[in-house]
Amino acid sequence: MVSTIELNKRQEQILQIVKDQGPITGEQIADQLNLTRATLRPDLAILTMAGYLDARPRVGYFYTGKSGTQLLTENLQKLFVKDFQSIPVVISENVSVYDAICTMFLEDVGTMFVVDQHSKLVGVLSRKDLLRASLGKQDLTNIPVNIIMTRMPNITMCRKDDLLIDVAQKLISKQIDALPIVRETEQGFEVIGRITKTNITKAFLSLAQDQ
């Protein structure tokens, strides 16, 4: 449940009671509101899952003292790249621009990662790169992608254990649509996944929907 949910009137009343009198049991809260414990159970569950309240056995409910912003920040700190990554589309550096365009359309992606003969990352290819290459009168079947791609060390990367919020910041600051998720080896960086703006949007939606 996202921490910035809009509370209804009864939930606000419960929150105020716990702020003033906590720790307090569910039965005591119900008595003050002239309601049954069963009636209050869904509201208490929402407030607890959202992080406004905490509960301890034989003690009762108490207010966490955290603002909605603090709670949202805590939830964002629990979202990692590895939980939302997708499968990368990888091509060889010797592939022609024409074949790369075909692959991009067939795979329906906006970014592809270019690897060398040892399957190590050497470049990134975007829709813009391919569009620029196709505007001229060159024979695209004779131009390898390694001529038009973004090369190392100018590639922004991430690791599977990075926080999703940090990756989102990289995408915004670099004005790009996707990052390769890499694993470092003795020969170079191995591409093990990708994270895109769409992945991040889905992650934030899952946070809002408590999935």
Side-chain angles (χ1 to χ4, degrees), residues 135-196:
L135 291 178
K137 296 182 179 180
Q138 312 97 307
D139 182 357
L140 300 182
T141 60
N142 290 326
I143 303 174
V145 294
N146 60 23
I147 292 179
I148 67 168
M149 68 186 185
T150 299
R151 292 177 170 274
M152 296 288 281
N154 299 317
I155 299 175
T156 304
M157 302 173 288
C158 66
R159 272 76 171 177
K160 66 177 183 178
D161 292 322
D162 288 349
L163 286 172
L164 212 59
I165 191 69
D166 293 335
V167 173
Q169 183 60 51
K170 287 183 179 181
L171 290 174
I172 292 171
S173 63
K174 298 290 184 178
Q175 297 184 338
I176 52 180
D177 295 326
L179 293 184
I181 304 167
V182 300
R183 176 170 53 214
E184 192 167 2
T185 70
E186 292 182 358
Q187 292 78 31
F189 293 104
E190 178 186 357
V191 181
I192 60 173
R194 67 175 170 141
I195 198 79
T196 69

Side-chain angles (χ1 to χ4, degrees), residues 50-76:
Y52 289 107
L53 301 182
D54 203 349
R56 293 177 183 170
R58 298 184 296 278
V59 174
Y61 293 92
F62 60 93
Y63 180 58
T64 63
K66 297 174 181 176
S67 68
T69 300
Q70 287 174 312
L71 294 168
L72 179 58
T73 300
E74 287 184 1
N75 284 334
L76 289 174

Side-chain angles (χ1 to χ4, degrees), residues 124-136:
V124 172
L125 202 60
S126 69
R127 279 198 185 103
K128 290 181 181 178
D129 296 326
L130 295 175
L131 178 60
R132 279 194 295 265
S134 63
L135 291 178

